[in-house]
């Protein structure tokens, strides 16, 4: 570029490593026996071992030997609740012995500890609340306890998103016409529509067009009876056409179907018994029926 103000000043070009997103699974199968995992830092008696049964695992200490193993830095995503799990065995059951997720400043945000003496790997987990911004974190496995049963085996560290609690109300007013609701998955003729009277609604098919719309996963709370309701209209009254609440394995726990042909939205409901534990669920609206009044 030429002319007035055609100039450029350049100073202090820098390159720095941006930590990668935290991996979904960290195991030690690709690490040689008696070595520290790649890019980790190990102190004392921390090294990968294997027994032919569980595959390879991170081993820390034995009786009077102690050690630590620290991962490289990773980025923990923002705005989502994360579940951290690991398989642990051993007998280092004093506080401060376990696997920890720490911020770059060393603040603990997750602690995985096992209180019993065992050679059998068992799952330990903790949930990490979402944050307004991504955080730089690292994993640190620590064994400081000495004496009999002072050892720790660590395997298969995993990170997964914990679905949010199921919302009290789901409507489609903030979705653009002729689009699929945010984070839902739509097939065929499934899209949001509106007629100026009822506001916006989820529309599935028309006559010979069919479709499905599937919500993101949610957590259904435990120990309480839940009533699910929806406003439905249309004419897809054959079984299997409606709005369903399904477990993550696809098992139906609530079915909302309407048997009549009508353009007037009407309330349909079902009651869901309480469960001893929270369940991961999703909503699926289904239209497979074709022909007149198939919508």
């Amino acid at each position: 570029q030429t002319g007035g103000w055609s100039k450029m000043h350049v100073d202090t070009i820098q390159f720095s490593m941006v930590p990668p997103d935290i991996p979904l699974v960290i195991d030690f199968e690709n690490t040689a026996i008696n070595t520290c995992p790649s890019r980790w830092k190990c102190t004392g008696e921390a090294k990968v071992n294997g027994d032919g049964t569980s595959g390879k695992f991170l081993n820390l200490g034995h009786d009077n030997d102690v050690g630590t193993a620290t991962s490289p830095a990773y980025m923990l995503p923002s705005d989502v609740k994360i579940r951290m799990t690991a398989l642990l065995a051993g007998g280092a059951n004093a506080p401060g012995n376990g696997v920890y997720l720490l911020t770059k400043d060393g603040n603990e945000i997750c602690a995985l500890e096992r209180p019993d003496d065992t050679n059998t790997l068992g799952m330990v987990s903790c949930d990490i609340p979402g944050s307004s911004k991504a955080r730089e974190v690292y994993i640190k496995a620590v064994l400081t306890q000495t004496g009999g049963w002072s050892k720790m085996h660590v395997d298969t560290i995993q990170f997964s998103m914990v679905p949010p609690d199921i919302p009290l109300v789901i409507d489609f007013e903030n979705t653009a016409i002729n689009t699929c609701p945010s984070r839902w998955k739509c097939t065929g003729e499934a899209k949001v529509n509106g007629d100026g009277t009822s506001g916006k609604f989820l529309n599935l098919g028309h006559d010979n067009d069919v479709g499905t719309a599937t919500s993101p996963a949610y957590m259904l709370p435990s120990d309480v009876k839940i009533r699910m309701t929806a406003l439905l209209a249309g004419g897809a009254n054959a079984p299997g056409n409606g709005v369903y609440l399904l477990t993550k394995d696809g098992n139906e726990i609530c079915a909302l179907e309407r048997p009549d042909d009508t353009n007037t939205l009407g309330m349909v409901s079902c009651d869901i018994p309480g469960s001893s534990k929270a369940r991961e669920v999703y909503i699926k609206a289904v239209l497979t029926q074709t022909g007149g009044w198939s919508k």
Side-chain angles (χ1 to χ4, degrees):
Q1 180 179 328
T2 60
W5 278 100
S6 177
K7 62 182 179 180
M8 184 188 300
H9 302 162
V10 181
D11 192 11
T12 315
I13 300 172
Q14 290 184 298
F15 296 88
S16 59
M17 189 182 79
V18 178
D21 290 342
I22 202 157
L24 297 180
V25 179
I26 299 171
D27 64 23
F28 306 100
E29 297 305 316
N30 294 322
T31 302
I33 296 290
N34 292 327
T35 66
C36 187
S38 175
R39 298 184 58 232
W40 287 55
K41 295 180 180 178
C42 297
T43 67
E45 279 298 306
K47 58 189 177 183
V48 168
N49 211 325
D51 60 8
T53 303
S54 306
K56 295 178 181 176
F57 52 85
L58 181 61
N59 183 78
L60 287 91
H62 186 267
D63 293 344
N64 291 316
D65 298 319
V66 297
T68 68
T70 305
S71 79
Y74 299 114
M75 292 305 294
L76 196 67
S78 63
D79 297 326
V80 289
K81 187 177 181 181
I82 300 291
R83 177 163 295 150
M84 178 182 180
T85 64
L87 295 173
L88 299 184
N93 49 27
N97 292 268
V99 178
Y100 306 93
L101 189 68
L102 307 171
T103 67
K104 67 177 180 179
D105 301 320
N107 296 317
E108 179 185 298
I109 53 177
C110 179
L112 303 179
E113 299 173 342
R114 191 154 181 199
D116 49 347
D117 296 340
T118 177
N119 285 319
T120 302
L121 288 164
M123 181 78 73
V124 186
S125 68
C126 77
D127 288 346
I128 305 161
S131 174
S132 60
K133 61 181 181 179
R135 288 171 286 180
E136 187 174 326
V137 297
Y138 62 95
I139 301 160
K140 189 169 186 178
V142 179
L143 175 76
T144 59
Q145 183 178 328
T146 59
W149 274 101
S150 177
K151 62 180 180 180
M152 186 190 305
H153 301 162
V154 182
D155 197 10
T156 317
I157 302 169
Q158 291 185 292
F159 295 88
S160 59
M161 188 181 80
V162 179
D165 290 341
I166 201 159
L168 296 179
V169 178
I170 300 172
D171 64 22
F172 306 101
E173 297 306 314
N174 293 322
T175 302
I177 296 291
N178 292 328
T179 66
C180 188
S182 175
R183 298 184 59 231
W184 288 54
K185 294 180 180 178
C186 297
T187 67
E189 281 296 308
K191 57 190 177 184
V192 168
N193 211 324
D195 60 7
T197 303
S198 306
K200 295 178 182 177
F201 51 86
L202 181 61
N203 183 77
L204 287 89
H206 186 267
D207 293 343
N208 291 318
D209 298 320
V210 296
T212 66
T214 306
S215 79
Y218 300 113
M219 292 304 294
L220 196 68
S222 63
D223 299 325
V224 288
K225 185 177 181 180
I226 302 289
R227 177 163 293 152
M228 178 181 178
T229 64
L231 295 172
L232 299 184
N237 48 29
N241 291 268
V243 178
Y244 305 92
L245 188 68
L246 307 172
T247 67
K248 66 177 181 179
D249 301 319
N251 297 317
E252 180 185 298
I253 54 178
C254 179
L256 303 179
E257 299 173 343
R258 190 156 181 195
D260 49 347
D261 297 340
T262 178
N263 284 320
T264 303
L265 288 164
M267 182 76 73
V268 186
S269 69
C270 75
D271 289 345
I272 305 161
S275 174
S276 59
K277 61 181 181 178
R279 289 171 286 180
E280 186 174 329
V281 297
Y282 63 94
I283 301 161
K284 188 169 186 178
V286 180
L287 175 75
T288 59
Q289 183 178 324
T290 59
W293 275 101
S294 176
K295 62 179 180 177

